[in-house]
Amino acid sequence: MDLSGKTILITGAAGGLGSAIALKCAESGADLVLLDKNRRGLIELSDKITEQGLTPPGLYPLNLAAAGVEEFGELLGTIGSEFAGLDALIHCALDFDSLQPLDQVQPQDWLQSMQVNVNAPWLLSCALLPLLKQSEGGRLFFMLDDLDLVTDPYWGAYGTAKAALAGMARQFNATLSHTSVAVRGIIPGPMRTDFRAKVYHAENPLEQPEPAIVAGKIIAMLTGNLSDDKLIVDFSK
């Protein structure tokens, strides 16, 4: 799979799945813009990429919980000036604190979850759509979750946000159906990540697959023909 000449932005790039996608993209020749609030994690990921002799990624430390229209406008300007364009935006960033009943979620935690999991993906997608539309095969990917699971009790703000994000993906898909931009909502399924460890404390993480397996499938979606695929792609099945 060759991504040479393609520019890809990944949010939550220092996380388990985000970093795995970044490494696979770099190995395939892509130019990367890696966004995460974890500056140290971004630097470590960049070191892994460059140690393999691959193209150094562009690092964009940004806390999505505090980002708004102005910050995303600046990001648009940066990509427009430093790269030839943008071919894919992959939303991997997420905010999750713990499992708790909906009526016990603290207001500030609710607002932060909605900001990171819903508002920021919408604002960032809208800001960067002009660049994606200029690509011959733009990609707009949202990482979702099993809605039958996360809308059950105790999933709180995270579950509500993922349901909203799925609705957002559907609306973007309908809106962009006559453009070159392909929209997909992706359910990665169980993976060996810090997020899963927060949810399933008693689980042996070694029983779950590495994020690199899912990352490889997502890379295939970046290069393949998606015209006949479903909007929601569930790798857990």
Side-chain angles (χ1 to χ4, degrees), residues 33 41 63 92 102 111 129 132 162 164 174 177 232:
V33 183
N63 184 359
C92 292
L102 194 61
L111 293 174
L129 268 177
L132 291 175
K162 285 299 181 181
S177 61
I232 306 299

mmCIF file of all heavy atoms in Angstrom, residues 33 41 63 92 102 111 129 132 162 164 174 177 232:
data_model
loop_
_atom_site.group_PDB
_atom_site.id
_atom_site.type_symbol
_atom_site.label_atom_id
_atom_site.label_comp_id
_atom_site.label_asym_id
_atom_site.label_seq_id
_atom_site.Cartn_x
_atom_site.Cartn_y
_atom_site.Cartn_z
ATOM 1 N N VAL A 33 0.698 14.707 9.794
ATOM 2 C CA VAL A 33 0.490 15.758 10.787
ATOM 3 C C VAL A 33 -0.121 15.062 11.993
ATOM 4 O O VAL A 33 -1.228 14.523 11.912
ATOM 5 C CB VAL A 33 -0.444 16.871 10.286
ATOM 6 C CG1 VAL A 33 -0.564 17.975 11.333
ATOM 7 C CG2 VAL A 33 0.045 17.431 8.958
ATOM 8 N N GLY A 41 4.459 12.344 24.276
ATOM 9 C CA GLY A 41 4.077 11.182 23.488
ATOM 10 C C GLY A 41 4.284 11.407 21.999
ATOM 11 O O GLY A 41 4.703 10.492 21.267
ATOM 12 N N ASN A 63 -4.466 20.708 22.880
ATOM 13 C CA ASN A 63 -5.450 20.137 23.792
ATOM 14 C C ASN A 63 -6.837 20.404 23.232
ATOM 15 O O ASN A 63 -7.306 21.549 23.235
ATOM 16 C CB ASN A 63 -5.303 20.755 25.183
ATOM 17 C CG ASN A 63 -6.240 20.125 26.199
ATOM 18 O OD1 ASN A 63 -7.034 19.225 25.871
ATOM 19 N ND2 ASN A 63 -6.191 20.591 27.433
ATOM 20 N N CYS A 92 -8.978 10.027 16.016
ATOM 21 C CA CYS A 92 -8.739 8.974 17.007
ATOM 22 C C CYS A 92 -8.797 9.496 18.443
ATOM 23 O O CYS A 92 -8.838 8.694 19.387
ATOM 24 C CB CYS A 92 -7.377 8.332 16.790
ATOM 25 S SG CYS A 92 -7.234 7.357 15.279
ATOM 26 N N LEU A 102 -25.079 7.928 34.645
ATOM 27 C CA LEU A 102 -25.214 9.205 33.959
ATOM 28 C C LEU A 102 -25.519 10.348 34.918
ATOM 29 O O LEU A 102 -24.996 11.457 34.771
ATOM 30 C CB LEU A 102 -26.318 9.099 32.906
ATOM 31 C CG LEU A 102 -26.407 10.218 31.864
ATOM 32 C CD1 LEU A 102 -25.127 10.290 31.052
ATOM 33 C CD2 LEU A 102 -27.598 9.990 30.943
ATOM 34 N N LEU A 111 -19.000 18.268 30.075
ATOM 35 C CA LEU A 111 -18.666 19.283 29.078
ATOM 36 C C LEU A 111 -17.338 18.977 28.386
ATOM 37 O O LEU A 111 -17.205 19.172 27.177
ATOM 38 C CB LEU A 111 -18.622 20.666 29.734
ATOM 39 C CG LEU A 111 -19.972 21.187 30.247
ATOM 40 C CD1 LEU A 111 -19.784 22.487 31.015
ATOM 41 C CD2 LEU A 111 -20.955 21.388 29.089
ATOM 42 N N LEU A 129 -12.299 20.655 5.708
ATOM 43 C CA LEU A 129 -13.006 20.124 4.541
ATOM 44 C C LEU A 129 -12.587 20.784 3.229
ATOM 45 O O LEU A 129 -12.498 20.102 2.187
ATOM 46 C CB LEU A 129 -14.520 20.236 4.725
ATOM 47 C CG LEU A 129 -15.200 19.016 5.350
ATOM 48 C CD1 LEU A 129 -16.679 19.260 5.548
ATOM 49 C CD2 LEU A 129 -14.976 17.785 4.481
ATOM 50 N N LEU A 132 -9.671 18.785 2.125
ATOM 51 C CA LEU A 132 -10.047 17.414 1.777
ATOM 52 C C LEU A 132 -10.760 17.358 0.432
ATOM 53 O O LEU A 132 -10.567 16.427 -0.353
ATOM 54 C CB LEU A 132 -10.931 16.805 2.867
ATOM 55 C CG LEU A 132 -10.267 16.500 4.208
ATOM 56 C CD1 LEU A 132 -11.306 16.010 5.207
ATOM 57 C CD2 LEU A 132 -9.154 15.469 4.044
ATOM 58 N N LYS A 162 -20.315 9.160 21.776
ATOM 59 C CA LYS A 162 -20.090 8.265 20.644
ATOM 60 C C LYS A 162 -21.354 8.086 19.811
ATOM 61 O O LYS A 162 -21.295 7.948 18.584
ATOM 62 C CB LYS A 162 -19.577 6.909 21.130
ATOM 63 C CG LYS A 162 -18.119 6.928 21.561
ATOM 64 C CD LYS A 162 -17.212 7.328 20.402
ATOM 65 C CE LYS A 162 -15.751 7.318 20.808
ATOM 66 N NZ LYS A 162 -14.859 7.724 19.691
ATOM 67 N N ALA A 164 -23.565 10.443 19.425
ATOM 68 C CA ALA A 164 -23.626 11.695 18.677
ATOM 69 C C ALA A 164 -22.631 11.690 17.521
ATOM 70 O O ALA A 164 -22.927 12.177 16.416
ATOM 71 C CB ALA A 164 -23.357 12.883 19.605
ATOM 72 N N ALA A 174 -23.809 12.070 4.100
ATOM 73 C CA ALA A 174 -24.882 12.523 3.214
ATOM 74 C C ALA A 174 -24.524 13.854 2.562
ATOM 75 O O ALA A 174 -24.756 14.069 1.369
ATOM 76 C CB ALA A 174 -26.187 12.645 3.993
ATOM 77 N N SER A 177 -21.750 13.385 -0.201
ATOM 78 C CA SER A 177 -21.935 12.252 -1.111
ATOM 79 C C SER A 177 -21.620 12.585 -2.558
ATOM 80 O O SER A 177 -21.324 11.685 -3.357
ATOM 81 C CB SER A 177 -23.371 11.722 -0.996
ATOM 82 O OG SER A 177 -24.309 12.738 -1.353
ATOM 83 N N ILE A 232 -20.683 2.566 8.111
ATOM 84 C CA ILE A 232 -20.128 2.104 9.372
ATOM 85 C C ILE A 232 -19.383 0.795 9.139
ATOM 86 O O ILE A 232 -19.968 -0.193 8.694
ATOM 87 C CB ILE A 232 -21.236 1.889 10.437
ATOM 88 C CG1 ILE A 232 -22.064 3.156 10.598
ATOM 89 C CG2 ILE A 232 -20.605 1.467 11.760
ATOM 90 C CD1 ILE A 232 -21.275 4.369 11.061
#
